[in-house]
Amino acid sequence: MLLELIGVKKVYQSGEVAFPALRGLDLKVEEGEMLSIMGPSGSGKSTLLHILGLLDRPTEGEYLLLGRPTRSLSEEERAYLRNRFIGFVFQAFFLLPRLTAVENVEVPLAYAGLPPAARRRRALELLERVGLLEKAQSLPNQLSGGQRQRVAIARALALNPPLLLADEPTGALDTRTGEEIMALFQELNREGTTVIVVTHEPLVAEKTRRVVRLRDGELVADERRA
């Protein structure tokens, strides 16, 4: 089992007002799955993704990653697991504007301690993998939205993580480019990467074999396709 949520609750406190974002969620994801998380605004989709990505902690319940409880991990341990086991792709790309495409992809490799030559070699391999080798020296503002998202995907794959989390990865893209990005996710999934996509777009969800639906912080449907 790659990950498991057991009775996960998340409550945000604002003064004396408590807002329950997740209300006792149970979820299991096997290695090699590709699933989408859907639900209306405020249903808890992004909160769930942040917990899965070790960017947030449950208020109650437990999150097991590779069978290991994560709730009591130190920040240093959580950062290590994020860096080694989880790749993130966001709607806003979050590329560093002063770095070229290849330098952006090198960032997690630098944090992992790879020497410069090995970083550059791996980053160029990944840019070629996502079809952007010729844009290696381009700055983000010289790239289209789809190209920036491909750079972000290459960066997410830098350390070959078993889990890829994508939060509305096609939200800022036109339909055709969005389909190309989803085709890339499907290809990565066929190669063994577990892919979890948060989306509000049915056309995106149709590209995954499993759809988990949230409403008001609760799991209301878990649909699987053959």
Side-chain angles (χ1 to χ4, degrees):
M1 187 70 60
L2 180 65
L3 62 87
E4 181 176 5
L5 300 180
I6 305 170
V8 164
K9 297 181 180 180
K10 181 63 183 181
V11 178
Y12 293 104
Q13 198 80 28
S14 179
E16 296 182 359
V17 179
F19 172 71
L22 296 176
R23 304 169 185 260
L25 221 62
D26 294 323
L27 180 68
K28 294 180 179 181
V29 178
E30 302 278 0
E31 289 186 44
E33 283 199 75
M34 182 172 182
L35 65 143
S36 50
I37 300 171
M38 298 193 75
S41 179
S43 61
K45 302 188 301 297
S46 291
T47 297
L48 172 56
L49 202 73
H50 288 168
I51 288 174
L52 295 178
L54 299 176
L55 298 171
D56 204 351
R57 298 176 187 262
T59 305
E60 295 181 33
E62 186 58 88
Y63 170 34
L64 305 177
L65 178 62
L66 297 167
R68 180 181 183 181
T70 62
R71 189 175 172 194
S72 61
L73 294 178
S74 68
E75 286 305 319
E76 183 178 12
E77 290 171 321
R78 292 166 73 85
Y80 174 82
L81 288 173
R82 280 196 302 269
N83 192 40
R84 293 289 179 169
F85 293 99
I86 305 170
F88 296 92
V89 180
F90 299 99
Q91 178 178 348
F93 317 130
F94 292 123
L95 300 180
L96 298 173
R98 295 177 182 268
L99 299 186
T100 64
V102 70
E103 290 168 341
N104 265 283
V105 179
E106 286 180 356
V107 169
L109 298 167
Y111 280 119
L114 267 72
R119 292 201 304 262
R120 180 55 53 96
R121 184 166 58 251
R122 173 65 174 158
L124 290 172
E125 288 172 356
L126 287 163
L127 286 175
E128 184 174 23
R129 176 74 174 77
V130 300
L132 277 184
L133 185 57
E134 76 282 1
K135 298 291 186 180
Q137 300 303 324
S138 298
L139 294 170
N141 65 6
Q142 297 171 318
L143 301 173
S144 69
Q147 289 170 335
R148 289 198 294 273
Q149 192 61 292
R150 286 175 181 271
V151 174
I153 293 169
R155 181 184 58 191
L157 297 174
L159 295 172
N160 198 29
L163 176 61
L164 185 63
L165 302 178
D167 194 357
E168 299 284 2
T170 64
L173 308 176
D174 61 73
T175 301
R176 179 180 174 182
T177 306
E179 288 178 349
E180 292 173 353
I181 294 300
M182 288 306 298
L184 179 56
F185 284 151
Q186 289 175 312
E187 187 176 334
L188 293 166
N189 177 246
R190 286 193 294 270
E191 295 172 359
T193 304
T194 304
V195 181
I196 301 178
V197 181
V198 163
T199 184
H200 66 277
E201 301 177 53
L203 290 176
V204 170
E206 286 176 6
K207 305 293 185 182
T208 67
R209 294 191 297 273
R210 180 181 176 191
V211 181
V212 171
R213 299 184 187 275
L214 302 183
R215 183 178 301 122
D216 297 329
E218 297 182 336
L219 196 156
V220 295
D222 190 344
E223 306 159 1
R224 298 174 186 263
R225 300 186 183 91

